[in-house]
Amino acid sequence: MTAAQTPIEAFLAPLAKLALKQPEIEGLVFWGDANGWDTTPTEALESEEIAFYAEGLLLEGFRMVWEIAAMAETPNDPDHIRLLFWQDIAPIPPAPRPAWVTITRAEWTPK
């Protein structure tokens, strides 16, 4: 019998599933705070690290948005995952750059 997923595991399940299906996909980490958002990723994670990395931060009380992104020319073909983290107050997470589109997006706010 399989144990029920925790809320965090359910939130991250689409990322874990994509990582298994597309092991070459990367997760790009962006950080935000009251002063704004990093314009370049602070880290690039390998597919098997994505859900593990995010789960640790969510357990610590961070807020998060994840986005599965694709190039605008191939909008149904996932290219990378954007992981946006912040604590307390931050402006609305930035949209992807114009060459990219968001396939799927989800937001986590600690309870």
Side-chain angles (χ1 to χ4, degrees):
M1 190 158 114
T2 305
Q5 290 183 322
T6 67
I8 289 175
E9 290 169 337
F11 172 72
L12 297 173
L15 305 183
K17 182 178 177 181
L18 180 59
L20 287 172
K21 183 179 175 185
Q22 249 182 274
E24 71 283 353
I25 201 155
E26 283 187 319
L28 302 179
V29 177
F30 296 85
W31 285 94
D33 61 24
N35 297 318
W37 287 89
D38 292 332
T39 56
T40 57
T42 57
E43 290 188 64
L45 305 173
E46 293 181 12
S47 63
E48 67 272 6
E49 300 173 308
I50 295 168
F52 179 76
Y53 181 93
E55 182 178 19
L57 291 170
L58 296 180
L59 288 169
E60 292 294 323
F62 285 84
R63 296 172 185 209
M64 177 188 182
V65 167
W66 61 253
E67 299 175 339
I68 298 173
M71 295 182 68
E73 300 85 44
T74 54
N76 297 316
D77 184 20
D79 181 82
H80 66 278
I81 299 169
R82 290 179 6 124
L83 306 166
L84 301 110
F85 294 99
W86 71 99
Q87 272 189 311
D88 304 322
I89 299 171
I92 295 171
R97 293 187 174 146
W100 302 97
V101 295
T102 299
I103 297 173
T104 307
R105 179 183 194 279
E107 183 168 346
W108 177 268
T109 303
K111 296 179 178 21

